[in-house]
Amino acid sequence: MESLLCQDGFLHRFFGISESFPEHIAIRNLDVDTGVVTYRELRLKAEQCNGALGTLNISPGDKVALVLPSGVEFIAYFLAIVGRGAIPVILNYKLTPFEMASVVGSARPVLVVTTAALFEKHSEIFQLANGVRHSLLLDVDESSSLPENATPDVQLMCRNEPLVLPEGNPVVSIQFTYRGTGKPLAVPHRYLDVTHAIDGMHEHIHRQGVGSVHLVTLPLHAIFGLSAMMIFPLSVGATLLMTDTLLNRDLAEVLSRHKVTYTCLVPDVIRYFNSRLAKRKGALLPMHPQLMIYSGGSHLPADEAEKLGRLLGCKPVLQGYGLTESMPVLLQSTLGVAQRGAMGQPIRGVELRVVDAQGQDVAPGRIGELLVRGSMVIDGYDDAEEANKRFFRDGWLHTGDLVWRDDDGHVFFYRQRLRISKIKAQMVDLLEVESVAMQHPDAVRAKAYIVPDHKEVNALHLCVGGRAGLTQSAISTLLSQHLSGFKLPKTIEIIVLKEHSHAS
C-alpha cells in the first residue's frame, strides 16, 4: 500500500472533510433522539467554542484543561483549543479530588472547561493557587449563582471565531500516566506526531473514510480513545457512533444495524459481551464485511478474542499495543498475517528492541524488555527530570514491559516489570496505593501486589502492617476517600507488627 504519511495534520484534514462533505454525519449519539451532528455543524460548534475561549482571553500557548465526559462538547472544545493555538490538558473527569489536585497542580492550566457538577466537586482545586484563572461551565442555567472565577458557556456563545490551522508540530495534548513512581507524569503529544501515529495504524487496517462508521467504546480522555477513536475518524470523514450505554445494549444489534466498520473493546468488556452473547437467541446478525474489532489496554487471551468473533459471526478480535507516551506502536494487521496471541508488529515509523538486563538485544523467542522509538514517541515527560533519566535513555523509551518476538517479528506480551498494572484497562500505580494507605496514623508499612485470577484478569491486593487497632475498614475507608474505584484493592490484609502491638 502507498504510504499515508504526509505533512498535513489532523485538523487540516478535518477542515477538508467539512468543506468537501459538509452534510456527512460526523457524530451520531445513540443516547439522544437528536444526536446527529454533521461535519459542517461540528466545525461551527468548534468555532462557537473558540469564540467563548476568545472572550476569556485565551492566547496561543495557554493550557486549557478539559474535564468533560466523552461527547460533542468534548470534541468541539478540543478542536477549538487546538485551532486557537492553545494546549488541551485532557483529564479524566472521574478522578477523585485527591487525584485531580495532583494533575491540575502539575499542569497548571489557565482555564478549565467542565460541567457545573464537576466544578462543584473540584471547586477548591480549580483555583488560582493551581494556576486556574477561570472555569467555563457547561449546562448551567444563566440565572445560577456562580463565583467570579466561573462562567456558564451559554453567556459566551454569542459569536463564532474561525479556527486557525496549526503550523509546524506544536503540542496539541497533555495527558497523564503513571510509571510506578507514585505520582502522575505529564505526557505532551505533538500535532504531526499524532497524525503520523494514526497514519501508521491506518496502513495496517482496511481503508477508512466517508461512509465508515466507528463505534466509540473508549473514553476520549485516554490516549487511544483520543487518537484512534476521535482524531482518526474525524480526519478521514468517518462517523463516530457514540453511546454511554453500550453495556446495556445488544452489541450484535448495534454493530449490525449501524454497519460499524471499526471499534476497539478492552478485555474486560470483551469478556462481558462474550458472556452475554453466549446466551443470545436467534440467528447471527449480518455484520459489515470489513468489520474490525481491536483490543488494547491490557492483555487479551487468544481464546477470548476468538470467542467474540464466533459469537458475532465476524473475524476474531485483533490486538494492538501502545502507551500514553507512544500512542499505538504495535498492531495486528487486518491486511496480512495476524499471529495468534500476539500484540502485533511495529507500525510504520516505529523502531523497537527487546533487551536483557544488561541492555543487550536478545534473540527471537527470548524474553526481554521492550524498547521503542519513533516520531509518535514523546521525548520525555514535562518537568520530571528523574523519570526522564530512568525511562528515556539514548533515544529509546524503556517501556517496562517484558515481551518476546517470533522469527517474523510478531511481539508477544509476557508481563510488566514496573510496579504498575492495568485494572479494568486503567493504569494503577502500586506505590500510589501504598502511599495513601500509609497516611493512616497506625500504618507502618504497606505492600500492594497483583495476582491474576483464573480468567487472567489482574486483581489488586494490599497488605498493611501496623499498630494494634488498625483495621481493614479503616484502610478501606481511607483508600476510597482518595482513590478512584478501579484502584481499590480486592482484598486488604492487616498484619499487627509485634514491635508495635504493645506500644503505649
Side-chain angles (χ1 to χ4, degrees):
M1 176 183 293
E2 182 181 350
S3 173
L4 299 173
L5 299 180
C6 55
Q7 292 302 308
D8 62 322
F10 61 82
L11 194 62
H12 288 73
R13 299 177 186 182
F14 170 74
F15 269 38
I17 297 296
S18 68
E19 291 167 358
S20 299
F21 303 93
E23 301 309 315
H24 183 67
I25 297 173
I27 302 169
R28 184 187 298 276
N29 190 334
L30 297 181
D31 302 330
V32 182
D33 291 338
T34 57
V36 173
V37 180
T38 66
Y39 271 84
R40 176 183 60 82
E41 290 168 338
L42 180 57
R43 182 167 171 178
L44 288 173
K45 175 69 172 175
E47 291 176 351
Q48 283 186 325
C49 295
N50 193 27
L53 298 176
T55 302
L56 293 175
N57 299 315
I58 297 301
S59 302
D62 284 347
K63 294 178 181 177
V64 179
L66 282 180
V67 186
L68 294 172
S70 301
V72 175
E73 289 77 12
F74 180 103
I75 296 170
Y77 269 105
F78 174 82
L79 295 173
I81 296 166
V82 173
R84 190 164 194 83
I87 302 172
V89 178
I90 303 173
L91 304 179
N92 183 346
Y93 71 98
K94 293 184 178 181
L95 295 180
T96 66
F98 172 80
E99 295 163 332
M100 187 66 74
S102 182
V103 293
V104 172
S106 173
R108 300 188 66 80
V110 299
L111 176 69
V112 174
V113 181
T114 188
T115 66
L118 288 169
F119 177 78
E120 182 177 359
K121 179 180 179 180
H122 300 296
S123 59
E124 294 183 2
I125 300 163
F126 299 156
Q127 298 292 335
L128 192 57
N130 288 318
V132 181
R133 297 197 308 249
H134 210 83
S135 291
L136 182 59
L137 309 186
L138 280 57
D139 302 324
V140 180
D141 190 297
E142 290 190 61
S143 63
S144 299
S145 176
L146 294 172
E148 291 185 359
N149 64 339
T151 302
D153 69 334
V154 292
Q155 292 185 3
L156 304 180
M157 293 294 191
C158 53
R159 64 186 178 93
N160 289 13
E161 190 168 337
L163 310 184
V164 177
L165 291 170
E167 295 183 1
N169 198 22
V171 174
V172 291
S173 82
I174 294 176
Q175 289 154 298
F176 284 85
T177 192
Y178 287 87
R179 300 292 284 161
T181 63
K183 61 181 181 180
L185 298 168
V187 179
H189 286 293
R190 294 185 175 276
Y191 184 55
L192 294 179
D193 298 343
V194 174
T195 309
H196 290 172
I198 61 176
D199 282 351
M201 182 187 72
H202 199 180
E203 288 183 320
H204 287 262
I205 68 176
H206 295 300
R207 288 296 296 267
Q208 303 294 289
V210 176
S212 301
V213 178
H214 292 204
L215 176 60
V216 179
T217 55
L218 302 178
L220 298 183
H221 60 72
I223 183 58
F224 202 78
L226 183 77
S227 60
M229 307 214 80
M230 187 189 85
I231 290 174
F232 173 41
L234 290 180
S235 67
V236 297
T239 296
L240 281 69
L241 187 66
M242 307 190 73
T243 176
D244 290 329
T245 59
L246 183 64
L247 296 182
N248 298 325
R249 294 175 180 270
D250 183 338
L251 177 63
E253 194 276 336
V254 171
L255 294 172
S256 177
R257 178 182 177 187
H258 296 282
K259 298 179 174 58
V260 173
T261 59
Y262 175 86
T263 192
C264 183
L265 301 170
V266 298
D268 282 350
V269 172
I270 289 172
R271 293 185 181 93
Y272 170 81
F273 278 119
N274 277 342
S275 177
R276 282 191 57 182
L277 288 167
K279 304 172 185 176
R280 192 178 188 278
K281 306 296 183 182
L284 293 175
L285 298 176
M287 300 292 161
H288 191 284
Q290 293 186 341
L291 169 63
M292 297 172 290
I293 303 178
Y294 274 87
S295 175
S298 57
H299 177 63
L300 177 70
D303 59 345
E304 296 283 358
E306 293 163 352
K307 183 177 181 180
L308 186 63
R310 289 196 306 271
L311 292 169
L312 289 172
C314 63
K315 292 183 178 180
V317 177
L318 298 175
Q319 296 201 60
Y321 169 89
L323 302 167
T324 305
E325 295 90 335
S326 69
M327 297 176 284
V329 289
L330 297 171
L331 204 69
Q332 284 189 319
S333 176
T334 61
L335 305 176
V337 177
Q339 190 66 270
R340 187 178 191 270
M343 296 190 297
Q345 294 175 300
I347 67 173
R348 178 185 289 268
V350 173
E351 297 178 75
L352 64 82
R353 298 173 60 199
V354 181
V355 303
D356 61 21
Q358 288 72 46
Q360 300 299 310
D361 293 274
V362 302
R366 300 294 298 273
I367 294 171
E369 183 184 6
L370 177 64
L371 278 55
V372 296
R373 70 180 179 186
S375 63
M376 63 287 296
V377 180
I378 66 168
D379 296 326
Y381 306 109
D382 283 349
D383 302 320
E385 183 177 354
E386 290 303 314
N388 287 336
K389 289 179 181 178
R390 179 179 175 184
F391 297 111
F392 295 89
R393 301 197 297 273
D394 301 322
W396 293 91
L397 168 62
H398 292 243
T399 69
D401 286 323
L402 298 180
V403 305
W404 61 276
R405 286 185 289 182
D406 66 13
D407 291 332
D408 296 319
H410 297 274
V411 180
F412 296 77
F413 181 78
Y414 178 63
R415 68 177 177 86
Q416 170 61 251
R417 73 172 183 83
L418 299 177
R419 298 201 68 236
I420 56 177
S421 186
K422 286 290 186 74
I423 305 291
K424 298 181 179 178
Q426 303 273 1
M427 185 66 72
V428 176
D429 188 315
L430 304 188
L431 181 56
E432 182 190 33
V433 177
E434 294 165 353
S435 299
V436 173
M438 287 298 294
Q439 292 183 22
H440 193 286
D442 289 328
V444 175
R445 65 188 184 212
K447 185 72 172 181
Y449 57 98
I450 299 293
V451 178
D453 65 15
H454 66 285
K455 294 184 178 180
E456 300 186 49
V457 178
N458 288 338
L460 175 64
H461 301 268
L462 178 67
C463 180
V464 183
R467 302 175 180 86
L470 185 64
T471 65
Q472 289 180 337
S473 176
I475 294 296
S476 178
T477 298
L478 178 64
L479 294 174
S480 63
Q481 290 172 342
H482 287 76
L483 301 176
S484 296
F486 65 88
K487 298 180 183 179
L488 302 181
K490 183 176 181 180
T491 64
I492 299 175
E493 179 184 5
I494 300 296
I495 298 177
V496 177
L497 302 178
K498 291 182 179 180
E499 60 266 32
H500 296 285
S501 60
H502 301 293
S504 57

